[in-house]
Amino acid sequence: MTIKEAQEKVDCWIKEYGVRYFNEMTNMAILTEEVGEVARIMARTYGEQSFKNGEKSDLSDELADVLWVLICIANQTGVDLTAALEKNLEKKSRRDNKRHLENPKLSK
């Protein structure tokens, strides 16, 4: 699935099942909540915290939740995520084309 197709599928789902998009500020709050759930799993899986008994730990599902809400925000604000990502990659390639290669902290 392309990013464009994902944006279209989310939009169709919202119109068919979701009634309408939550407003932008609600979606921003939901995005923050979902990122927090990713952070919780990361801290417990790769960090020093441990899982509580019965605690959910499906990283792929939580990342998909983040992507879902991000796509919702893009759709409702008119952002073409494909174009935005391409533009962002070009910017990073110009700005950082030597930055990481020359970073002694990243040396092997």
Side-chain angles (χ1 to χ4, degrees), residues 27-43:
N27 273 336
M28 186 63 231
I30 293 169
L31 179 61
T32 303
E33 176 186 359
E34 296 299 347
V35 168
E37 292 176 10
V38 169
R40 177 183 44 79
I41 290 172
M42 295 296 292

Side-chain angles (χ1 to χ4, degrees), residues 54-91:
E55 191 173 21
K56 183 173 117 177
S57 65
D58 189 347
L59 180 60
S60 64
D61 186 53
E62 296 304 337
L63 288 171
D65 285 345
V66 168
L67 183 58
W68 175 274
V69 180
L70 185 65
I71 288 171
C72 286
I73 292 170
N75 283 353
Q76 69 191 136
T77 59
V79 172
D80 176 340
L81 284 172
T82 300
L85 182 58
E86 288 171 349
K87 183 178 177 182
N88 190 268
L89 284 168
E90 288 173 16
K91 176 187 78 173

Side-chain angles (χ1 to χ4, degrees), residues 89-105:
L89 284 168
E90 288 173 16
K91 176 187 78 173
K92 284 176 174 37
S93 295
R94 280 191 317 276
R95 183 189 67 199
D96 299 332
N97 62 351
K98 290 191 170 89
R99 178 176 162 223
H100 301 297
L101 294 171
E102 296 173 354
N103 182 348
K105 295 178 183 178

Side-chain angles (χ1 to χ4, degrees), residues 11-22:
D11 192 58
C12 287
W13 189 95
I14 294 292
K15 290 174 179 169
E16 185 172 346
Y17 301 105
V19 180
R20 64 171 177 79
Y21 287 93
F22 296 130

